[in-house]
Amino acid sequence: ETGVTQTPRHLVMGMTNKKSLKCEQHLGHNAMYWYKQSAKKPLELMFVYNFKEQTENNSVPSRFSPECPNSSHLFLHLHTLQPEDSALYLCASSQEIVYEQYFGPGTRLTVT
Amino acid sequence: GNSVTQMEGPVTLSEEAFLTINCTYTATGYPSLFWYVQYPGEGLQLLLKATKADDKGSNKGFEATYRKETTSFHLEKGSVQVSDSAVYFCALSLKDTGRRALTFGSGTRLQVQP
C-alpha cells in the first residue's frame, strides 16, 4: 500500500462517545499534519508533528487529542465532541516541514 | 503574515473552454508555490509546484508560472474536461522555523459542463 491512508473513511458518533482517527503514511516522511475541512470554510491546520514532536497546535479544543507514536502513524483521539465538529478531517505528510504535503482521503465525521 | 488569495467560485465552463483561476500571495520571504486539487469525496492531491521566480509548473495539461513581480501564480488549462470538475487550492510554503509549512487559499470550485 502506498501514499497516505486514513481510517475510518466515515464515522458517526454521539456527543458522549470516544473514538480515534488513524493516519498512516508509507512515504518515509518525517512530518505529519491534521487538518479540518468544514463546508464553506478554509482548510484549518490543527496540529503539526515533526520527527514525532508536536510543533504546532492551532488553538484546538482539548476534546481533540493528537498522538504520534512514530513518524509513520498519527492518531486523533476524539471525546465529547460537539455537532459543529462535524467535518472532513484530513491527514497529510511531508518529507520535511517545508516541503509539499501529501494528503490522505480524509475521514468524514458526523457528530449527532 | 503570509496569505493566499484566490478568486471566488464557482467557475462554470463548457467542455474545451480555456481555464484561468487567479491566485495572488503575500509572503514575508521567498516562498514555494503549489496548486492542489480536491475531487469530490477525496483528499487533496498535489497538482503542480514552482519553487523560484519564472518557474513554470505543469501537470495533466495544467500550468502555472511563478510571477514574483506581481506575486501571482495563476492556474491555466487550454481545454477543460468534465473530469476536471473539482476544487482547486493555491498554497505557499515558506521556510520559517517552527511555523506551519503550507498556507492555503480558500479554494475555487470548478464546474465543467458537457
Side-chain angles (χ1 to χ4, degrees):
Chain A
E1 198 165 11
T2 58
V4 182
T5 58
Q6 290 186 245
T7 55
R9 292 295 308 274
H10 300 272
L11 178 62
V12 179
M13 60 186 288
M15 289 191 285
T16 57
N17 290 160
K18 289 184 180 181
K19 296 285 185 183
S20 295
L21 310 185
K22 179 183 176 182
C23 174
E24 184 173 1
Q25 60 94 0
H26 307 269
L27 301 168
H29 289 167
N30 296 307
M32 297 188 77
Y33 313 79
W34 280 117
Y35 288 87
K36 177 183 178 183
Q37 187 176 35
S38 305
K40 299 183 180 180
K41 290 179 70 174
L43 272 168
E44 300 173 55
L45 179 66
M46 301 175 72
F47 301 104
V48 180
Y49 278 82
N50 194 28
F51 291 93
K52 301 187 297 179
E53 299 297 319
Q54 188 181 124
T55 58
E56 191 161 345
N57 175 341
N58 285 313
S59 303
V60 180
S62 59
R63 58 185 183 270
F64 294 90
S65 175
E67 179 190 1
C68 188
N70 54 60
S71 292
S72 299
H73 294 86
L74 185 64
F75 295 90
L76 188 63
H77 304 301
L78 317 171
H79 65 97
T80 59
L81 295 190
Q82 305 298 311
E84 61 264 29
D85 296 322
S86 298
L88 181 68
Y89 288 85
L90 293 165
C91 174
S93 70
S94 63
Q95 178 63 37
E96 301 287 343
I97 206 163
V98 296
Y99 293 114
E100 62 266 28
Q101 295 175 15
Y102 294 85
F103 284 79
T107 294
R108 174 68 63 186
L109 174 66
T110 303
V111 181
T112 61
Chain B
N2 304 322
S3 66
V4 176
T5 302
Q6 291 182 235
M7 60 192 292
E8 291 280 337
V11 173
T12 303
L13 296 173
S14 297
E15 209 164 20
E16 300 184 3
F18 185 85
L19 168 71
T20 300
I21 299 178
N22 290 337
C23 170
T24 56
Y25 68 89
T26 303
T28 55
Y30 200 172
S32 294
L33 301 172
F34 307 88
W35 276 101
Y36 282 82
V37 58
Q38 186 176 30
Y39 298 103
E42 299 183 14
L44 278 70
Q45 300 176 26
L46 179 64
L47 182 60
L48 53 85
K49 67 177 183 181
T51 57
K52 60 183 187 293
D54 301 324
D55 263 4
K56 178 184 283 187
S58 61
N59 185 25
K60 299 181 181 179
F62 291 90
E63 293 183 339
T65 301
Y66 189 142
R67 300 289 187 199
K68 188 167 182 279
E69 64 277 10
T70 55
T71 62
S72 64
F73 192 55
H74 305 321
L75 183 68
E76 296 181 336
K77 187 175 185 182
S79 175
V80 294
Q81 305 300 312
V82 172
S83 57
D84 293 327
S85 297
V87 181
Y88 293 81
F89 294 89
C90 185
L92 68 83
S93 74
L94 198 61
K95 191 169 185 178
D96 183 4
T97 303
R99 300 300 298 168
R100 68 181 66 182
L102 282 179
T103 299
F104 283 93
S106 56
T108 302
R109 182 175 300 278
L110 170 66
Q111 298 172 339
V112 180
Q113 299 173 337

